[in-house]
Amino acid sequence: MNGVTIGQAAVFVGVTVKTVRHYHKLGLVQEPERDSSGYRRYGSAELLRLVQVRTLAAAGVPLAEIGPLIDAGPALFAAALADVERQLTERIEELIVRRDTLRRLADGDRALLGDRAVALLERMSGLGFPAEEVAATREGWVLARALVPEGFDDYLTHFEHALDDPRFVALIKRATEATAWEPDDPRIAELATAMADHFLANPALLKIVTGLQARTEAATRYTLIALHGEEQGSAAARGVTLVETRLRAAGIHIPRPDTH
């Protein structure tokens, strides 16, 4: 009757009977012989081995590495533990990065756009831009950052300067109102002319239009960004087309949907 049963051993070590049997199956702990009563009795040696295996497994050491680790000499054991500690530290750092990403995802704009873009969106709201215009800008910027990442920061710089221009701000707000107009409303052409003229009179503002032109597949990328969320034939789409037409007539290069 020397030793304890598998159930008692599991309780002493702090694992389940299923886990103990799994350790046996993997060869991490030798399964005791049966006694005269037919029970397997775990003595101090088996319990010590179980404690070692459970402790290393709980520390994150892969089960496949535990056996050789316990069987190694003191020097090798210490070196192996140091390596395990290094791996765990790397995993911890990776998990911290993932945690921080999840926290940023709680504020989706920062995860998708970054702090600088979020600050500009907040500034738009502070300047009185309608919520729907801020939302449309946000979506357009997400596309822009994905499609033309190499020019996005410069674009934000140009946009930031543009928000210092009261006339530009007023025209964009007016363009937001125009989304509710009928596509054939004559005011659309008037507004498009005013916007194009203001761009031409202030060349620095033109970089908002031209700054996101990709070096390759320019037409495809530009069109995806410029007309995002605008239905074909809508007042907004017509306004964009009229502005682009006037700028092209003035010699400003803007990609066409059918060219690169």
Side-chain angles (χ1 to χ4, degrees):
M1 300 297 292
N2 184 30
V4 297
T5 65
I6 187 172
Q8 293 170 318
V11 171
F12 291 162
V13 175
V15 296
T16 65
V17 170
K18 183 178 180 180
T19 298
V20 174
R21 289 189 172 129
H22 185 57
Y23 291 164
H24 289 325
K25 184 178 179 180
L26 295 177
L28 296 176
V29 179
Q30 189 68 33
E31 193 171 20
E33 297 293 335
R34 296 183 186 276
D35 63 12
S36 58
S37 301
Y39 291 98
R40 297 187 186 278
R41 298 285 176 175
Y42 291 75
S44 59
E46 288 83 13
L47 289 174
L48 174 60
R49 182 81 174 192
L50 280 171
V51 170
Q52 290 174 324
V53 172
R54 186 262 296 166
T55 302
L56 290 171
V61 180
L63 291 179
E65 300 177 13
I66 288 178
L69 193 58
I70 296 176
D71 295 333
L76 291 176
F77 184 78
L81 284 183
D83 186 58
V84 170
E85 181 181 2
R86 178 188 57 77
Q87 294 178 35
L88 288 175
T89 300
E90 291 176 355
R91 288 177 57 190
I92 290 170
E93 292 172 351
E94 179 183 352
L95 289 173
I96 290 174
V97 171
R98 292 184 182 181
R99 181 199 64 189
D100 293 344
T101 299
L102 287 174
R103 287 177 176 175
R104 289 196 302 273
L105 285 173
D107 182 355
D109 291 344
R110 294 187 190 280
L112 294 170
L113 290 171
D115 292 342
R116 187 182 181 196
V118 169
L120 286 174
L121 292 172
E122 292 172 349
R123 185 180 174 192
M124 288 180 67
S125 297
L127 287 171
F129 281 89
E132 59 269 22
E133 175 62 18
V134 176
T137 300
R138 177 190 301 114
E139 292 183 357
W141 285 1
V142 170
L143 277 175
R145 190 185 189 195
L147 295 174
V148 197
E150 66 277 9
F152 187 65
D153 284 341
D154 288 341
Y155 170 81
L156 291 181
T157 298
H158 304 321
F159 189 84
E160 186 175 17
H161 293 160
L163 291 182
D164 293 330
D165 183 337
R167 176 60 175 162
F168 172 79
V169 171
L171 286 169
I172 296 300
K173 288 181 180 179
R174 182 65 169 164
T176 303
E177 297 174 6
T179 59
W181 300 348
E182 292 297 324
D184 58 353
D185 193 312
R187 291 177 296 176
I188 295 176
E190 296 173 2
L191 177 59
T193 298
M195 292 187 71
D197 287 348
H198 190 65
F199 277 128
L200 294 172
N202 299 272
L205 288 178
L206 278 172
K207 293 179 180 179
I208 294 177
V209 180
T210 62
L212 288 178
Q213 293 180 17
R215 296 172 185 172
T216 60
E217 299 181 295
T220 301
R221 300 189 193 192
Y222 175 82
T223 302
L224 284 170
I225 296 168
L227 294 179
H228 168 70
E230 309 296 353
E231 295 182 6
Q232 186 174 4
S234 67
R238 181 175 177 235
V240 170
T241 299
L242 289 174
V243 171
E244 292 177 344
T245 298
R246 182 163 179 83
L247 293 179
R248 289 191 187 101
I252 306 301
H253 174 67
I254 298 177
R256 298 177 183 273
D258 57 345
T259 62
H260 293 280

